[in-house]
Amino acid sequence: AALEVGQDERPSPVAFAVAMSTDRKWTVLGMAGRRRDGSLYVQAMESRPGTRWAVDRLVDLRSKWRPVAVAVDGTGPAAALVPALEKVRLPVKMLSTRDMARGCGALFDAAAEGELHHGGGALLARSLAVAGKRTVGDAWVWREPDGADISPLRAVTAALQVLLTAQKSTRSGLVTGIR
């Protein structure tokens, strides 16, 4: 709760992510961005039943936000949306389990150090309340208990990982994102 901030400023740059509940009944859009003070911001933007709406919504959001990429957990159910995202020329970044573990660590560390803010809301709060951790090598990823849906948490984690990766690539001279 101490890290919640109002929508007092528009973060830039931003990255989006799409995640889906394991039963494929709900799809969530997450966003991560950088605030003017340098801190990170995440938000579970939208959650709706079904899947296909997410592609159309991301197309709508593209011109307003100009995301560096749209992240998708390559091992999760939302990976089925990648062909449709590519068809509408959205910059898709498929994340591996290793990428998701990095994102989990980055989100956890930034929150612990007070460098991460969020827009609040019940979606993210419910996900955080029930999420567990699953060890992967020497790291961990979010674990979804039976019957629970943590896709909002997975969405913001994936968006954060892509944002941080894109910023690192830009600093090293690689061109990323769409313009």
Side-chain angles (χ1 to χ4, degrees):
L3 299 175
E4 184 176 339
V5 295
Q7 190 77 349
D8 56 342
E9 69 179 68
R10 181 177 170 158
S12 180
V14 298
F16 294 132
V18 59
M20 213 178 275
S21 61
T22 305
D23 63 8
R24 307 179 74 82
K25 290 183 180 177
W26 290 91
T27 303
V28 178
L29 300 183
M31 185 261 290
R34 183 74 69 176
R35 294 168 43 98
R36 280 191 296 264
D37 66 6
S39 65
L40 297 166
Y41 177 83
V42 296
Q43 180 178 354
M45 297 175 68
E46 289 184 53
S47 178
R48 295 190 209 168
T51 60
R52 291 292 303 173
W53 68 268
V55 174
D56 294 335
R57 183 65 176 132
L58 286 166
V59 168
D60 291 342
L61 292 168
R62 172 179 37 197
S63 63
K64 178 181 177 186
W65 289 91
R66 302 180 71 73
V68 295
V70 176
V72 177
D73 180 349
T75 64
L81 295 175
V82 170
L85 292 167
E86 290 174 338
K87 185 176 182 179
V88 296
R89 300 168 103 50
L90 280 164
V92 179
K93 174 65 178 158
M94 293 273 283
L95 301 180
S96 66
T97 301
R98 177 180 283 170
D99 295 326
M100 288 299 291
R102 288 182 186 129
C104 289
L107 188 136
F108 184 91
D109 291 347
E113 295 168 10
E115 297 174 359
L116 177 82
H117 300 284
H118 63 90
L123 289 174
L124 194 53
R126 280 195 303 263
S127 292
L128 281 166
V130 299
K133 296 176 184 175
R134 177 175 59 87
T135 302
V136 177
D138 290 336
W140 55 268
V141 294
W142 300 118
R143 183 184 59 77
E144 186 170 84
D146 289 339
D149 177 15
I150 63 166
S151 55
L153 181 56
R154 286 187 174 148
V156 300
T157 301
L160 180 63
Q161 176 59 21
V162 165
L163 176 75
L164 295 174
T165 302
Q167 289 181 315
K168 184 178 179 183
S169 296
T170 301
R171 284 192 299 270
S172 68
L174 299 174
V175 178
T176 62
I178 59 170
R179 300 287 179 241

